[in-house]
Amino acid sequence: MEFALDDELLALQQTARRFADEEIIPVAAEFDRTGEFPRSVIQKAWELGLSSTFIPAELGGLGLSILGSCVVVEEISRGCAGIATSAMCNDLGLSPILVGGSDAQKEEWLVPCAEEFKLVSFCLSEPGAGSDVAGLQLHAQKEGDDYILTGTKAWITNGGEADLYTVFATVDRSSRHKGICAFVVPRDTPGLEPGKKEDKLGQRASDTRVVHFDGVRVPSRQRLGAEGEGFRIAMETLDRTRPMIGALAVGIARRALDECLAYARERKAFGSAIAEFQAVQFMMADMAKDLEASRLLTHQCAWMIDKGMRASKQSSMAKCFSTDAAMKATVDAVQIFGGNGYTKEYPVEKLMRDAKLMQIYEGTNQIQRMVIARELLSS
Ligand code: COS
């Protein structure tokens, strides 16, 4: 069994690490404060090959493995999880085309995203259907050779910034998952309107909005897969992208540990550095062991997907374990920093706010436990 990354991935990891140190960490607090969208940072990440990493090489993309994408995302997230979420959202948004698109659709939609910088959104959640995907309501009315999309999506990352949206809608609400279809919808299609930007607790550099579809006409050649295949396409997409969320969480936890190690060596109490105290050492030891376990689960899952194996259970395990571990690590990081940790002068309160979202998006950690339990009971 080989745990080492190959030379190519090590070089990409170094590029991503340098990019996080030089281009993200210096600006992360300001984007967090203003909630402004860091378009130029994400564009630069794309130019360096650190975003839209899934597009196959034969279509002009990087053709990075899921493992490779996880290595990159961990580094970017160490810089800022909000910026990492925005950059990684392109792979989430493009995955339905990879999973369910024909060769002609892949050529039509993926090649332009490899050739120039574009942002992509994945429109699955709705105001009344976040966890219950089969209950989504956005209606796709067949009219001749077109579909007319009507309804609202919610919590859409890159919702106000994307050039391209992959959208899940139902032709028949009563048939639950069997009625769902996936569509590719360019931003300039009449009737597609992003709504108000959410004012979030954390990951404030990422753009999260409702997106309205008011009679959006979409030709059936923009439907991915057959009518009714949208649910499977959404699930297989999430199986592929949840390890990336695991990697994002590892990036946050690693930053929390690095910040704590530096602070605990400097900060004095009772006449010595607080790093001398077991109470502090044990918190940092837990952070380190949980982050190693998170990375191993995440990389194993990514490796399985790259080998073409079904990995729903491992994908949910990687997402759930790593994001819970990142939450605990960042809460403990604030504790180690004490009063300082609770102020915006130090970076750890942002890590804690950023980590919280990870237990919620791409399927809450309760949904992940449901998927794991179903897989256990059905085998
Ligand atoms: N891959 C392929 N097919 C899958 C699948 C997967 N990972 N998971 C389920 N399916 C199939 C099932 O096999 C079943 O197929 P049949 O019609 O042949 O029986 C069908 O899809 C329906 O599956 P299931 O009965 O499990 O669906 P449920 O409605 O019970 O819901 C959950 C499944 C809860 C897992 C799903 O709604 C979910 O993932 N929710 C969270 C959504 C999420 O992550 N949202 C975040 C949005 S992105 S920020």
Side-chain angles (χ1 to χ4, degrees):
M1 195 180 289
E2 178 61 86
F3 286 99
L5 303 177
D6 64 25
D7 289 347
E8 208 176 316
L9 258 186
L10 281 173
L12 194 60
Q13 184 183 46
Q14 283 307 321
T15 304
R17 191 168 293 171
R18 215 173 23 250
F19 182 71
D21 285 335
E22 292 171 6
E23 309 278 348
I24 299 182
I25 291 177
V27 295
E30 187 58 12
F31 281 114
D32 175 63
R33 192 183 67 74
T34 60
E36 196 191 313
F37 187 69
R39 179 173 277 272
S40 60
V41 180
I42 296 164
Q43 174 153 4
K44 194 145 190 204
W46 178 81
E47 284 160 6
L48 289 169
L50 307 174
S51 172
S52 302
T53 52
F54 282 4
I55 302 177
E58 63 271 21
L59 296 175
L62 293 161
L64 213 55
S65 60
I66 308 264
L67 178 62
S69 303
C70 285
V71 168
V72 168
V73 161
E74 177 185 326
E75 297 301 327
I76 306 284
S77 174
R78 187 181 62 87
C80 173
I83 292 176
T85 289
S86 307
M88 179 259 159
C89 183
N90 269 14
D91 285 317
L92 173 65
L94 293 173
S95 286
I97 305 172
L98 280 167
V99 167
S102 64
D103 287 348
Q105 287 171 324
K106 287 179 192 167
E107 178 93 28
E108 179 174 1
W109 302 109
L110 298 179
V111 170
C113 291
E115 284 174 347
E116 58 177 298
F117 174 64
K118 287 184 189 293
L119 288 167
V120 189
S121 249
F122 177 77
C123 297
L124 182 65
S125 298
E126 297 185 358
S131 293
D132 180 14
V133 173
L136 65 82
Q137 298 288 303
L138 193 120
H139 192 224
Q141 174 79 46
K142 193 89 202 264
E143 205 180 278
D145 202 30
D146 298 337
Y147 291 87
I148 311 295
L149 306 189
T150 307
T152 299
K153 292 291 178 183
W155 306 108
I156 304 305
T157 304
N158 288 349
E161 302 287 337
D163 301 285
L164 202 64
Y165 298 74
T166 42
V167 183
F168 295 83
T170 176
V171 287
D172 175 15
R173 291 174 183 140
S174 64
S175 27
R176 303 254 316 153
H177 74 273
K178 293 194 167 76
I180 295 175
C181 305
F183 299 95
V184 184
V185 187
R187 168 69 181 92
D188 55 6
T189 312
L192 188 161
E193 273 308 322
K196 186 178 140 286
K197 185 170 172 164
E198 304 292 350
D199 188 7
K200 304 196 301 296
L201 173 73
Q203 301 207 14
R204 291 173 52 77
S206 76
D207 177 87
T208 313
R209 296 179 190 250
V210 294
V211 180
H212 301 290
F213 294 81
D214 185 10
V216 175
R217 184 175 288 273
V218 182
S220 54
R221 62 174 185 78
Q222 284 170 220
R223 191 192 64 222
L224 301 168
E227 214 172 71
E229 273 196 332
F231 188 88
R232 177 189 63 80
I233 293 171
M235 292 300 114
E236 288 186 16
T237 291
L238 293 169
D239 282 351
R240 289 165 62 88
T241 54
R242 282 178 182 150
M244 307 262 285
I245 303 300
L248 243 144
V250 173
I252 296 184
R254 207 175 107 207
R255 176 75 181 278
L257 179 58
D258 288 350
E259 295 290 346
C260 286
L261 288 168
Y263 185 82
R265 287 185 179 115
E266 286 291 315
R267 174 75 183 176
K268 301 267 187 309
F270 303 102
S272 58
I274 62 169
E276 301 296 321
F277 304 133
Q278 266 194 349
V280 172
Q281 289 174 1
F282 284 6
M283 280 192 269
M284 296 194 298
D286 277 343
M287 281 183 206
K289 79 174 164 49
D290 291 350
L291 117 64
E292 291 285 338
S294 301
R295 189 187 286 120
L296 285 169
L297 257 180
T298 297
H299 284 196
Q300 183 213 28
C301 172
W303 174 86
M304 284 176 72
I305 300 169
D306 289 333
K307 291 278 175 219
M309 296 157 83
R310 187 163 188 269
S312 297
K313 184 176 73 181
Q314 283 75 12
S315 186
S316 286
M317 285 177 170
K319 192 273 181 186
C320 185
F321 186 91
S322 308
T323 57
D324 282 351
M327 191 70 244
K328 181 172 183 305
T330 55
V331 168
D332 284 351
V334 172
Q335 193 68 19
I336 289 172
F337 274 66
N340 285 336
Y342 206 65
T343 70
K344 289 188 191 285
E345 266 181 57
Y346 292 82
V348 287
E349 61 80 37
K350 173 180 182 294
L351 299 176
M352 184 174 76
R353 288 186 284 109
D354 288 352
K356 184 63 216 171
L357 182 54
M358 312 204 63
Q359 295 179 305
I360 298 170
Y361 70 11
E362 288 225 16
T364 64
N365 283 3
Q366 287 67 34
I367 288 289
Q368 309 308 328
R369 288 178 171 87
M370 216 167 105
V371 171
I372 296 165
R374 281 184 185 187
E375 293 270 335
L376 292 174
L377 292 166
S378 68
S379 63

